[in-house]
Amino acid sequence: MITISYLHIGIDDTDSPDGMCTTYLACHIINKLKENGIHIIGYPRLIRLNPFARFKTRGNGGVSFKIKNDDKADLAKEIVLDEVSALSMFDCDNTNPGVIFFDGEITQEMRDYAFKAIYSFITIEEAEEFGESVGCEIHKFKKGRGIIGSIAAISLPLDDFTYELLAYRIPENYGTKRQIDYDSVVEMDNKTFPDTFENIDYSEDYIAIEPKTPCPVLYGIRSNNVEVLDDARKIVKVSEPIEDYCIFLTNQHTDMHIQKADNIAQMKQFGCYEITATVKDIPHVIDGGHMFFTVFDESDEIECGAYEPTKNFRKTVSYLREGDIIKLYGGIGEQNTFNIEKFQVIKLNDVEYQNPICECGKRMTSAGKNKGFKCKKCGNKIKSSEKVPFTINRSLKNNRFYETPVSARRHLSKPICRMNF
Ligand code: ATP
């Protein structure tokens, strides 16, 4: 039996807030490879890593793809290195590209490294030492920070995955207003959701497929399967030229950043978790429109935040009341607050207590501490101080998920429409 050997190629940290995008560079490289008779195997991968990484430009994404490791592998390496050298945004201090070549099977320790890059922080030195130990060919440009993400991008297993079709603008149009027809995006969403998702944020009346930055991306359509992307692309109308398209296989919208915590005490700053806890107080808003409340369990308590950019989600959060048991998903950020991405109601506290009703029909009042109740109308008294429980209507529903609007969602967050995947 002939076993095919692959050359894995990882690229990261080529862009800056002013331009470029590592996915665009990858698409450009893939075209160059094709012109030289080198074809990538499968789809290129867009891998999102730790959302709290300090030097990220936007969504902390690295890119990888693989080719056959044959007599054209050296030419492929040359093309990749030349294009990264030619197109990376080297003027930006925080752009420090890293390219990784790895021939062979991805090992368990490489998979573990990739999860570490999602859950915690890795230094350039650690990445370099690790890469060398597993046999990666490492290319650092400037500080070469990109090797951290490049090694992770080739190594991460994708048990759950989505796709993103990225359409790229012609360079003359970079930085100008994107010419996307809103109605056609609505039509695409109507015809292809939930196979595609996060196309439009209806609550904010905003086209979510359109980036806000001056990068080469014209739009990105996210989907659960690759077949729908072609239809979706054909429905979206734009009135500017499209230079190229590329479909990426990605860990976006999989909740891969979320770790299951057994209790609150286990949760650490800059980690993202799923935790079940009880609401301690009624959510309150502070200056700037940020909303906070506290949850607790047997181990500890933690302040939760729904920040101003989460817009209407704060209204939903405001419906929580003490005693509600909820499953929360989110990350502990700079302020040590648990930033909520979504929550599921496990058990609503829908019970309130009232003074009993007297035989005469009038609600009784307290007769003093531990002295029971008395009726002001007929003078009747009862000794028990126990109030009477009654069920209240709640705006939230048991078992239901509630999430932040598309406009405030992390790339890695799994939207509710994918929760059964
Ligand atoms: P874009 O979304 O446009 O691709 P970006 O947000 O991915 O940009 P990069 O330019 O790729 O930003 O910069 C992120 C940097 O952080 C890269 O150098 C990457 O190697 C590094 N990095 C990724 N994960 C970690 C981690 N867990 N710890 C430390 N550094 C990391």
Side-chain angles (χ1 to χ4, degrees), residues 206-227:
Y206 136 91
I207 306 186
I209 66 168
E210 176 182 344
K212 292 188 187 115
T213 55
C215 69
V217 175
L218 177 58
Y219 62 72
I221 305 176
R222 293 138 195 256
S223 74
N224 287 314
N225 60 64
V226 81
E227 296 76 28

Side-chain angles (χ1 to χ4, degrees), residues 124-353:
I124 302 173
E125 296 71 33
E126 266 178 84
E128 190 159 13
E129 201 176 302
F130 176 79
E132 280 170 358
S133 75
V134 295
C136 291
E137 183 181 323
I138 295 170
H139 294 267
K140 291 173 25 183
F141 298 78
K142 290 168 62 187
K143 290 181 188 150
R145 181 172 293 110
I147 65 167
I148 303 169
S150 298
I151 301 174
I154 63 172
S155 306
L156 186 77
L158 287 179
D159 294 338
D160 185 17
F161 54 83
T162 61
Y163 295 91
E164 182 164 9
L165 178 147
L166 289 161
Y168 299 108
R169 318 181 78 185
I170 56 169
E172 297 87 297
N173 285 334
Y174 292 174
T176 63
K177 187 174 163 20
R178 290 173 172 85
Q179 303 298 323
I180 304 176
D181 178 66
Y182 181 88
D183 292 341
S184 73
V185 183
V186 174
E187 186 188 339
M188 183 271 282
D189 189 56
N190 286 337
K191 289 189 172 154
T192 62
F193 178 87
D195 289 337
T196 68
F197 50 87
E198 305 222 335
N199 297 313
I200 294 180
D201 187 331
Y202 289 101
S203 63
E204 298 301 315
D205 203 19
Y206 136 91
I207 306 186
I209 66 168
E210 176 182 344
K212 292 188 187 115
T213 55
C215 69
V217 175
L218 177 58
Y219 62 72
I221 305 176
R222 293 138 195 256
S223 74
N224 287 314
N225 60 64
V226 81
E227 296 76 28
V228 71
L229 286 174
D230 207 34
D231 295 339
R233 174 178 72 79
K234 285 179 187 147
I235 300 169
V236 174
K237 291 191 183 65
V238 297
S239 41
E240 64 169 85
I242 288 177
E243 189 187 88
D244 209 347
Y245 297 100
C246 193
I247 294 176
F248 288 85
L249 182 70
T250 169
N251 65 341
Q252 291 176 160
H253 312 296
T254 61
D255 269 356
M256 227 178 235
H257 61 314
I258 302 277
Q259 302 175 73
K260 277 203 174 104
D262 292 332
N263 57 46
I264 293 173
Q266 257 182 17
M267 295 161 54
K268 297 196 177 67
Q269 193 181 25
F270 302 126
C272 298
Y273 300 99
E274 173 192 317
I275 180 82
T276 300
T278 306
V279 177
K280 186 179 172 189
D281 55 7
I282 293 169
H284 62 280
V285 179
I286 62 157
D287 281 355
H290 310 307
M291 177 169 277
F292 296 100
F293 62 102
T294 305
V295 297
F296 68 96
D297 65 11
E298 67 294 340
S299 74
D300 207 346
E301 61 179 46
I302 188 162
E303 185 178 54
C304 301
Y307 285 85
E308 191 281 330
T310 66
K311 304 287 175 200
N312 274 341
F313 181 60
R314 292 169 300 165
K315 177 129 183 106
T316 311
V317 168
S318 75
Y319 296 140
L320 290 168
R321 65 190 289 260
E322 58 254 51
D324 286 343
I325 302 172
I326 54 178
K327 191 187 279 181
L328 300 128
Y329 300 75
I332 304 179
E334 205 69 57
Q335 315 297 329
N336 255 314
T337 298
F338 189 33
N339 304 341
I340 307 308
E341 293 171 15
K342 61 178 171 263
F343 68 89
Q344 183 186 21
V345 177
I346 303 298
K347 178 93 183 70
L348 286 173
N349 170 19
D350 58 1
V351 175
E352 264 188 14
Y353 292 87

Side-chain angles (χ1 to χ4, degrees), residues 12-16 20-23 46 48-50 53-62 94 96 116-118 120-123 145-150 411:
D12 197 7
D13 209 347
T14 64
D15 53 9
S16 78
M20 188 41 70
C21 169
T22 306
T23 67
L46 166 57
R48 300 287 177 183
L49 301 167
N50 190 337
R54 191 164 151 223
F55 294 103
K56 68 178 186 171
T57 311
R58 285 173 287 266
N60 196 13
N94 276 341
N96 294 286
K116 192 170 172 206
I118 294 179
S120 60
F121 301 116
I122 296 174
T123 63
R145 181 172 293 110
I147 65 167
I148 303 169
S150 298
H411 289 291

